[in-house]
């Protein structure tokens, strides 16, 4: 379950960051149309459970207002040693995204899904090292470039999407299975 990232300004800024890191050839970049912020990952979801997950998403989204989410800064996993993932962080709107993730978890738990083992730490995965052991060259490139990266833009969050992820020899392909709009009115608003 994820929030798609489709804002043209955010994608343009991320493209500039990608270009600045293009010398780190051992990175596999996520395509713009596949960018998303994962709130809950399901390893295997049979169709009966997919229906329950969809109902949980619809319920969580019915009580959540739309909001703006700032994409800000770059980082890496792990924080030391060979880099395996390059990510963009979040600024304003992060608390609302975490609250949406908590509402989704409550609705999933009510339908029999187990709790996540780790707390939600939302980030936008931009690239992965081609070698699963990581990349020292990419780690050096990100360390040199990341301090200069500030705000990358603002993404409107108005829905959650249930994706099916197909992993193969190429980049992962995320196919939308359902879209669930955030429909609650803002407190104090119209």
């Amino acid at each position: 379950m994820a929030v798609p990232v489709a804002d043209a300004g955010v994608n343009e800024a991320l493209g500039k960051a990608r270009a600045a890191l293009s010398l780190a050839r051992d990175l596999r970049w996520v395509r713009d149309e596949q960018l998303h912020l994962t709130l809950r990952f399901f390893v295997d979801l049979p169709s009966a459970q997919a229906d329950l997950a969809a109902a949980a998403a619809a319920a969580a989204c019915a009580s959540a207002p739309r909001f703006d989410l700032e994409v800000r800064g770059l980082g890496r996993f792990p924080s030391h040693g060979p880099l395996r993932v390059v990510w963009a962080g979040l600024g304003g709107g992060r608390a609302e995204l975490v609250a949406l993730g908590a509402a989704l978890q409550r609705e999933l738990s009510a339908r029999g899904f187990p709790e996540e083992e780790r707390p939600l730490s939302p980030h936008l995965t931009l690239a992965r090292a081609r070698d699963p052991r990581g990349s020292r060259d990419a780690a050096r490139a990100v360390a040199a470039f990341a301090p200069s990266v500030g705000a990358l833009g603002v993404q409107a969050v108005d829905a959650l999407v249930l994706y099916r992820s197909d992993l193969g020899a190429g980049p992962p392909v995320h196919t939308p299975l359902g879209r669930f709009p955030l429909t609650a009115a803002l407190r104090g608003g119209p």
Side-chain angles (χ1 to χ4, degrees):
M1 199 71 65
V3 173
V5 176
D7 182 84
V10 170
N11 284 330
E12 182 180 336
L14 292 172
K16 290 177 183 175
R18 181 182 301 135
L21 294 170
S22 65
L23 293 178
R25 299 190 196 293
D26 45 357
L27 292 175
R28 188 176 61 230
W29 293 90
V30 176
R31 296 187 318 259
D32 286 352
E33 67 275 8
Q34 298 289 312
L35 288 171
H36 63 275
L37 294 149
T38 301
L39 295 185
R40 176 68 187 254
F41 181 79
F42 302 100
V43 174
D44 188 22
L45 200 58
S47 52
Q49 284 189 312
D51 291 343
L52 289 173
C61 290
S63 63
R66 298 172 181 188
F67 60 95
D68 288 336
L69 181 65
E70 180 186 39
V71 179
R72 169 177 281 286
L74 289 182
R76 54 165 289 199
F77 293 136
S79 59
H80 294 45
L83 172 153
R84 288 195 301 273
V85 172
V86 178
W87 51 263
L90 305 175
R94 184 181 189 284
E96 289 88 342
L97 185 67
V98 170
L100 178 58
L104 176 62
Q105 181 57 56
R106 284 190 301 277
E107 294 294 341
L108 288 167
S109 293
R111 289 162 177 79
F113 287 87
E115 294 279 331
E116 286 279 23
E117 293 179 18
R118 295 182 291 186
L120 179 63
S121 178
H123 61 278
L124 180 57
T125 298
L126 302 177
R128 289 183 171 79
R130 293 183 189 282
D131 185 335
R133 294 171 296 184
S135 166
R136 291 193 186 282
D137 289 341
R140 284 189 288 275
V142 169
F145 179 67
S148 68
V149 178
L152 295 162
V154 174
Q155 165 73 38
V157 178
D158 61 2
L160 283 181
V161 176
L162 176 61
Y163 287 103
R164 181 184 72 227
S165 297
D166 296 306
L167 309 175
V173 175
H174 307 291
T175 305
L177 299 178
R179 185 176 189 281
F180 309 94
L182 304 181
T183 57
L186 288 172
R187 288 185 182 93

